[in-house]
Amino acid sequence: MEMDTTANERHAALKRKANDSINEILNFGQSSTSPQKRCKKAQRQKLRDIDAYKKIIKTYKAPLWYGCAVSPRDLADFGWACVKKNSVQCVECDQHLSTTLPNICKVSYNVYNCSLKEIHEKMVTAHRSTCKLRSGAPPFRLIEPTSKEIMDGIQNRLGECRTMNDEELQADIPSDVNLPKLDDVPPQFVFVSALGWQVSRLKRGSLLLGCDYCARELAHRSGNKFDPIHNHERWCPRIEMDEQGEPSWQTDLNIVLNAKNRISSRYADSAIFKEAFAARRLLDNSLSTIITPSII
């Protein structure tokens, strides 16, 4: 009798483990916790100061910053603002850090890479020991924004777009992208705004497009086609990919359109998902018929 009970417990544990593994596959890219639990967890975590990040990232512009292999986003994550050419300063402890790299044409790759690695290490060590920015900033998306928060951001970025006509800005919208419909706002303006761009009139016949997350500003001739995805800096958080290969802006649109919990069309018809669903059904039936309440 004891041997049967032990065997049943072991089988139950194995089945529960298998069921959990299948659920992880089926819920890949989806959150398994409720919004209430996520909010409670977020309250215990340090939230990112987005406004402080935007303020720092705007310092990385010419003539102070001409660009190098060190990403401004990495520097901004640790509180380093650009103050002069090849020099940054911590906004908290006022320490300075040189971002000068050797000419890659005059040194070996090993020397260049060692110099680059040293700068990344000094992003932490160059702070004062008591500086709170030594630990770096938390991720941009600790918790997912609500649909209202996302739409408020899109509406705020639209700004002058409401006074522009349909022909002033052209943008190709991918066929698989769905957009929220806004009265009296052409879809290309909604798409550009969802990608994080703010549009304003620079002068007659030209527009100014800017992104607060990568500090990119572009003068664009009115009526010409604009690519809101590839005109971001490569490190911009708005185009950052998650584990499923989905960019941040697409995740936001899915939340707005209540499509977040749907299985992506890339996976819905795949054999592995069909097999996983079938296996979970079999396990559920087995768990309900074999495991007794005393064992659970």
Side-chain angles (χ1 to χ4, degrees):
M1 185 66 180
E2 291 182 2
M3 290 181 63
D4 291 341
T5 302
T6 303
N8 284 338
E9 289 177 349
R10 188 167 146 228
H11 291 154
L14 289 173
K15 288 176 181 178
R16 278 198 297 271
K17 185 175 180 181
N19 203 26
D20 290 342
S21 298
I22 291 174
N23 283 331
E24 286 181 10
I25 296 173
L26 295 174
N27 295 324
F28 181 65
Q30 302 177 21
S31 176
S32 60
T33 57
S34 66
Q36 293 81 5
K37 289 182 179 179
R38 288 200 302 271
C39 289
K40 289 180 181 178
K41 183 179 180 182
Q43 290 172 0
R44 296 193 299 267
Q45 292 175 315
K46 175 186 173 186
L47 296 178
R48 177 139 196 165
D49 189 341
I50 300 296
D51 292 334
Y53 166 81
K54 290 179 180 179
K55 186 177 179 180
I56 293 174
I57 209 68
K58 287 180 185 296
T59 65
Y60 290 90
K61 291 182 180 180
L64 296 180
W65 182 261
Y66 289 97
C68 72
V70 183
S71 166
R73 178 176 168 182
D74 291 340
L75 291 163
D77 283 348
F78 287 90
W80 298 102
C82 185
V83 290
K84 59 182 180 180
K85 187 177 179 181
N86 295 327
S87 180
V88 295
Q89 183 178 21
C90 175
V91 297
E92 184 69 21
C93 64
D94 296 329
Q95 293 291 92
H96 285 79
L97 170 64
S98 173
T99 58
T100 302
L101 286 168
N103 190 330
I104 196 170
C105 297
K106 297 181 179 179
V107 297
S108 67
Y109 286 115
N110 286 337
V111 171
Y112 185 85
N113 288 333
C114 285
S115 299
L116 186 60
K117 182 180 179 181
E118 183 180 7
I119 292 176
H120 278 273
E121 290 173 350
K122 285 185 176 180
M123 287 183 197
V124 178
T125 60
H127 287 282
R128 294 187 188 276
S129 59
T130 55
C131 183
K132 66 181 182 181
L133 299 180
R134 282 173 61 93
S135 59
F140 278 89
R141 299 174 72 93
L142 272 178
I143 55 174
E144 291 174 346
T146 64
S147 177
K148 182 180 184 305
E149 290 170 341
I150 295 168
M151 285 306 301
D152 285 346
I154 291 176
Q155 295 275 16
N156 291 336
R157 286 189 293 271
L158 281 170
E160 290 187 35
C161 293
R162 300 181 183 280
T163 63
M164 298 179 186
N165 60 55
D166 196 19
E167 298 178 353
E168 287 193 68
L169 182 67
Q170 302 297 321
D172 285 336
I173 303 174
S175 59
D176 59 343
V177 171
N178 295 318
L179 296 169
K181 294 182 180 180
L182 299 178
D183 295 337
D184 303 324
V185 181
Q188 68 266 29
F189 288 114
V190 178
F191 183 53
V192 168
S193 178
L195 264 293
W197 295 98
Q198 187 165 357
V199 186
S200 58
R201 284 191 175 90
L202 183 61
K203 57 184 180 180
R204 187 178 181 84
S206 62
L207 304 173
L208 180 66
L209 293 101
C211 172
D212 287 340
Y213 285 89
C214 62
R216 190 82 190 272
E217 287 188 347
L218 299 168
H220 183 75
R221 184 172 293 278
S222 180
N224 286 359
K225 192 170 291 186
F226 177 73
D227 187 339
I229 298 176
H230 296 99
N231 273 306
H232 281 287
E233 297 285 1
R234 56 182 173 77
W235 43 263
C236 184
R238 292 303 300 161
I239 57 174
E240 185 176 39
M241 301 288 187
D242 61 15
E243 293 84 358
Q244 274 187 278
E246 190 169 75
S248 174
W249 63 267
Q250 180 65 75
T251 302
D252 286 353
L253 287 179
N254 289 345
I255 293 172
V256 170
L257 299 171
N258 198 25
K260 175 184 167 297
N261 291 322
R262 299 176 192 167
I263 295 176
S264 171
S265 58
R266 288 179 291 175
Y267 307 115
D269 297 325
S270 66
I272 188 170
F273 265 84
K274 290 179 180 178
E275 291 176 6
F277 273 113
R280 187 173 70 174
R281 282 196 298 269
L282 287 172
L283 273 170
D284 287 342
N285 293 334
S286 177
L287 285 167
S288 62
T289 55
I290 295 177
I291 300 178
T292 62
S294 61
I295 295 175
I296 296 175

